[in-house]
Amino acid sequence: MKIMKNNVKQTGGALGVLRAFKLMGRAGCGLLLAAMGCMVVASGCKKEGQLAAGSPGTSAAVAGRKLVTNATLPTRAEALVAMQVYNNTFYNQYGTYGPSYKAYYWKDQNHTGRMDFWTQAEAIETLIDAYNINPNVDLKNKISYLYNGMRDGYGLTWESNIYNDDIIWGSLMCVRAYAITNDGGMLDMAKNNFAIVWNRAYDTALGGGLWWTTAKQTKNACVNAPAIICAMKLYAATGDASYQTKAKLLMDWMVATLYTSSGEVKGAINAAGTITEGSRSYTQGTFIGACDALRLQYPAVNYAAMANNVMNYSKNNMCQTPGGILLDEYDTADTQGFKGIFARWACIYVHSAGLQSTYGSWLDANATQAWSIRNSSGQMWGKWATRTPDGTILNAFETTPGVAMVNGIYWYR
């Protein structure tokens, strides 16, 4: 992931009519959205160098914005609608792939090209989330077709990409998709690309950990935490204990280097040993996911306590008010979808650890707020304190957090 390289320009102009809904048709989905109360209520990677070491993992303050107070929690059926709205705006099936089909997500509503590599992978993860909550043939097929689109667009291995975190995001997507489809090609893609990163990025400099890029200037949470989750999923899929060993090596390094007793997960450390980034929602979320992946394998370490510490920091320090709505992260196009990654791993952890009574109401409130600010087409951008505009061209990454959040709560509900 790289900010300068992957910047997506947002332009003004009238919002075009939503493409015909593939599942229900435009009219049918419009009726369904209306029946579900889709009238919106008006409301008054990046990685390196984005944040100073001591700054909180939030973007600009949102003082003065008015939260919706009469919104209701989205239902499971409405969570599916959120995914269908997203697909009917950005999903593009563009041809055959052997006996199957291939597809990708457009990067914006103008359909100016496919999403960048790592954001494409995260959009597919959002689709995987939705399938896990509302399993159906259409979503399962789309997962396979989008995977085919990744193969078609980028090949089977991605060593030409200098960003190790990009490759790990793609590998994690593949191994999660494999758990749904049992497609051995997905598992091979995850294994082979994880190996590329491990072989070129892991060393004992700075005590261990993976380098962010092939330039080996910083070791970042955004590659190490997802790599832990990916390794543990590869272990579950293959039974190869070397993946668990690698996950534990990375976690030991993260705990010693980037995790803090306050619950903040620092973003990066440079080759000189200086912390160069503070926390962001996606690094907090993936660290929680990493703790969750390891906590049952290593009960003596008490990774659950660490995950709770990071959840508490996120709840108390990365919201508009303590325990409130997660802050916007609109520094660049690469940051706009970070909250969706947090939502994914936080909700899965709350489910697997049985912590709904501790964190459920907070996460529910975020889902309720995200759902309440959708626009007349049913879309939710990443600024959850403000109604999603009808007259702005939205990009595909900034509209993933709401979909991930409203689906994520149904892991534990």
Side-chain angles (χ1 to χ4, degrees):
M1 182 194 344
K2 45 282 164 197
I3 292 310
M4 290 188 292
K5 182 176 178 182
N6 283 349
N7 231 359
V8 177
K9 183 178 180 181
Q10 294 186 30
T11 58
L15 182 65
V17 177
L18 188 65
R19 289 180 0 187
F21 276 64
K22 294 182 179 66
L23 294 180
M24 295 172 282
R26 181 186 295 116
C29 192
L31 291 172
L32 178 58
L33 288 170
M36 287 182 165
C38 192
M39 295 299 294
V40 292
V41 182
S43 67
C45 197
K46 171 292 79 227
K47 290 180 284 271
E48 189 162 16
Q50 183 71 43
L51 292 177
S55 48
T58 58
S59 53
V62 290
R65 294 182 182 174
K66 185 178 180 181
L67 297 183
V68 175
T69 57
N70 60 343
T72 58
L73 186 77
T75 66
R76 186 184 295 265
E78 287 171 325
L80 175 59
V81 170
M83 187 72 249
Q84 291 168 332
V85 168
Y86 185 89
N87 283 337
N88 287 305
T89 306
F90 300 111
Y91 177 83
N92 179 42
Q93 192 166 302
Y94 66 98
T96 59
Y97 202 84
S100 186
Y101 299 94
K102 55 186 177 180
Y104 60 73
Y105 282 118
W106 296 108
K107 69 167 56 179
D108 59 36
Q109 289 179 310
N110 275 346
H111 297 177
T112 54
R114 70 170 69 202
M115 292 178 79
D116 296 315
F117 180 95
W118 95 273
T119 54
Q120 185 87 217
E122 289 314 290
I124 298 171
E125 284 213 70
T126 304
L127 177 61
I128 291 169
D129 298 336
Y131 174 85
N132 285 328
I133 298 307
N134 280 294
N136 65 61
V137 173
D138 176 69
L139 298 185
K140 184 176 182 180
N141 286 341
K142 282 182 168 61
I143 291 168
S144 293
Y145 302 159
L146 288 160
Y147 158 74
N148 289 339
M150 291 286 281
R151 290 197 300 175
D152 182 54
Y154 302 105
L156 296 177
T157 58
W158 310 316
E159 54 269 271
S160 62
N161 190 331
I162 68 168
Y163 294 91
N164 292 313
D165 69 313
D166 283 16
I167 298 175
I168 289 297
W169 295 116
S171 299
L172 179 54
M173 176 274 292
C174 285
V175 73
R176 291 189 73 208
Y178 167 75
I180 293 169
T181 67
N182 201 35
D183 182 336
M186 295 177 178
L187 181 59
D188 287 343
M189 186 175 279
K191 289 163 55 180
N192 293 337
N193 286 289
F194 181 91
I196 287 170
V197 171
W198 186 268
N199 291 335
R200 78 184 191 184
Y202 181 82
D203 61 28
T204 57
L206 301 172
L210 299 170
W211 294 102
W212 175 41
T213 75
T214 55
K216 298 187 176 182
Q217 295 300 306
T218 60
K219 292 188 173 183
N220 296 38
C222 66
V223 58
N224 283 277
I228 295 165
I229 303 171
C230 186
M232 291 303 292
K233 290 187 177 299
L234 286 170
Y235 170 55
T238 66
D240 183 347
S242 69
Y243 289 115
Q244 180 176 321
T245 299
K246 290 169 181 172
K248 184 63 162 55
L249 280 173
L250 296 180
M251 192 61 163
D252 288 347
W253 178 81
M254 284 201 74
V255 169
T257 309
L258 299 178
Y259 170 77
T260 68
S261 60
S262 69
E264 179 187 12
V265 181
K266 299 293 186 180
I269 185 171
N270 67 19
T274 301
I275 296 292
T276 57
E277 291 183 21
S279 57
R280 300 303 297 243
S281 65
Y282 78 145
T283 53
Q284 297 286 112
T286 50
F287 186 86
I288 291 165
C291 288
D292 192 28
L294 290 168
R295 65 186 180 84
L296 297 180
Q297 298 291 334
Y298 300 97
V301 181
N302 202 358
Y303 287 121
M306 295 183 193
N308 293 348
N309 205 19
V310 176
M311 287 284 290
N312 292 336
Y313 181 90
S314 303
K315 180 179 178 181
N316 296 324
N317 297 280
M318 302 179 76
C319 296
Q320 297 172 42
T321 58
I325 305 306
L326 290 162
L327 278 165
D328 307 338
E329 292 176 281
Y330 264 61
D331 312 66
T332 71
D334 258 337
T335 65
Q336 292 170 6
F338 282 4
K339 287 192 292 193
I341 299 171
F342 176 84
R344 173 174 306 123
W345 301 111
C347 290
I348 289 173
Y349 171 64
V350 167
H351 161 68
S352 66
L355 294 172
Q356 180 180 357
S357 62
T358 304
Y359 299 111
S361 61
W362 170 52
L363 296 172
D364 286 354
N366 275 270
T368 299
Q369 181 62 26
W371 183 242
S372 74
I373 56 89
R374 63 200 185 279
N375 65 14
S376 60
S377 296
Q379 294 170 332
M380 298 167 281
W381 67 347
K383 299 179 180 181
W384 291 350
T386 308
R387 182 186 184 275
T388 309
D390 290 316
T392 297
I393 302 303
L394 303 172
N395 73 66
F397 194 43
E398 72 177 313
T399 49
T400 55
V403 181
M405 191 78 251
V406 300
N407 279 276
I409 61 172
Y410 284 97
W411 275 105
Y412 57 79
R413 291 191 64 82

